[in-house]
Amino acid sequence: MLLAIDVGNTTVVMGLMNGNKSFDVWRISTKNISTEDELSVHIKNFLDFSGYKPSSIDDICVASVVPSMNDVFKYYARKYMNKNPTFVKIKDVNWIEWNVWTPNELGADRIANVISAKENYGENVIVVDFGTAITIDILTDKYEGGVILPGPRTAIQSLFTNTAKLPSVEAKFPDSPVGKDTITNIQSGIMLGTMFAIDGFVSLFEGEFSKRFKVISTGGYGADISKSSTKIEEYIPDLTLTGISIFYSRKNESTFS
């Protein structure tokens, strides 16, 4: 089995993969991992809970947008698995054309999302990933670029941090778009504002490329916003992990072919 790991700014998502399909997925706060030994304890506990042994893991592949964490995963793989982990890197994805000015700036999670979209849907797909930041990626017959905007939790925290009286609130949709108190005012502005931003961008992209896109989403806040969106057709919670697994498989095929 492959242990696929998506290292985000807020959350680390780990999944056991078999044939590019996940069958056990665990999440942990990124700030709760600072050494390879701590990581080992978390992974062992997850495996024990699910009825597996550490020896069940054949290899590890990581998509990380937190460079300071990369050594933790390297040291874990070497110390506890006697292996060098594979990291998702754009230079190894030669089956997709990256039509952007600076491909090396593209986050590993976005690369994995595009790989998964390409593998499962082919062309003309838009991927929306709801994380600490929301990323929107456009795939025609090539990768065309996209958009980054603040995620709901990030936007709420920004209001809380930079204003004197606004509270930190739960990132959820209010019952009505018309806020009746400070909390529902913020929730309406952030959650509905995010939804309308996503739908608006998709409409702009469809006009820009003169075509209709299939729009899929993933990420922590994606489920709720996707239900309310008029453009998002499908929410896929394990999209990034699937992309990591596909990357690993394709890289090994090219390595050993």
Side-chain angles (χ1 to χ4, degrees), residues 13-252:
V13 183
M14 296 181 265
L16 288 176
M17 312 295 293
N18 191 2
N20 298 331
K21 294 187 180 298
S22 63
F23 54 92
D24 266 303
V25 177
W26 313 297
R27 289 169 170 80
I28 187 171
S29 173
T30 304
K31 66 182 180 182
N32 286 340
I33 303 172
S34 57
T35 70
E36 69 274 16
D37 298 319
E38 289 173 335
L39 177 61
S40 173
V41 171
H42 289 303
I43 291 177
K44 185 178 185 304
N45 287 339
F46 290 142
L47 291 170
D48 287 345
F49 181 79
S50 300
Y52 299 101
K53 295 181 178 179
S55 58
S56 302
I57 301 174
D58 299 309
D59 214 340
I60 178 173
C61 187
V62 182
S64 172
V65 297
V66 188
S68 62
M69 293 288 295
N70 292 357
D71 282 346
V72 173
F73 293 93
K74 288 179 185 177
Y75 297 151
Y76 165 78
R78 292 169 183 171
K79 183 174 182 178
Y80 290 95
M81 299 177 63
N82 196 30
K83 292 181 179 293
N84 287 313
T86 301
F87 283 83
V88 174
K89 296 180 180 179
I90 199 166
K91 68 180 180 64
D92 296 318
V93 189
N94 55 15
W95 65 93
I96 296 175
E97 181 180 351
W98 303 93
N99 185 31
V100 290
W101 297 336
T102 52
N104 289 334
E105 292 180 0
L106 198 64
D109 54 346
R110 300 177 75 179
I111 298 168
N113 288 342
V114 172
I115 291 171
S116 190
K118 177 73 171 178
E119 183 79 8
N120 290 291
Y121 300 99
E123 301 178 356
N124 302 327
V125 186
I126 289 175
V127 182
V128 185
D129 190 342
F130 294 89
T132 306
I134 296 171
T135 57
I136 308 176
D137 292 297
I138 308 159
L139 182 67
T140 58
D141 59 335
K142 60 180 77 71
Y143 177 75
E144 301 285 6
V147 168
I148 299 174
L149 62 155
R153 186 71 252 163
T154 303
I156 289 169
Q157 191 61 28
S158 178
L159 287 176
F160 171 66
T161 302
N162 294 292
T163 61
K165 296 184 67 175
L166 295 182
S168 180
V169 304
E170 185 179 357
K172 70 173 187 176
F173 281 93
D175 294 331
S176 167
V178 181
K180 294 297 187 180
D181 58 10
T182 301
I183 290 175
T184 53
N185 269 259
I186 294 172
Q187 289 173 332
S188 183
I190 298 298
M191 300 302 287
L192 288 170
T194 298
M195 181 199 74
F196 285 124
I198 300 300
D199 288 354
F201 275 121
V202 172
S203 294
L204 286 174
F205 299 150
E206 289 178 334
E208 179 77 11
F209 292 95
S210 299
K211 60 181 64 183
R212 187 184 181 281
F213 289 89
K214 179 175 181 63
V215 185
I216 60 176
S217 68
T218 192
Y221 293 101
D224 287 343
I225 295 176
S226 298
K227 290 176 186 175
S228 301
S229 167
T230 61
K231 294 291 189 178
I232 296 172
E233 302 171 49
E234 188 176 0
Y235 174 70
I236 308 169
D238 298 337
L239 183 76
T240 311
L241 293 180
T242 301
I244 294 169
S245 181
I246 294 168
F247 171 88
Y248 177 85
S249 299
R250 295 287 292 264
K251 187 174 190 301
N252 281 345

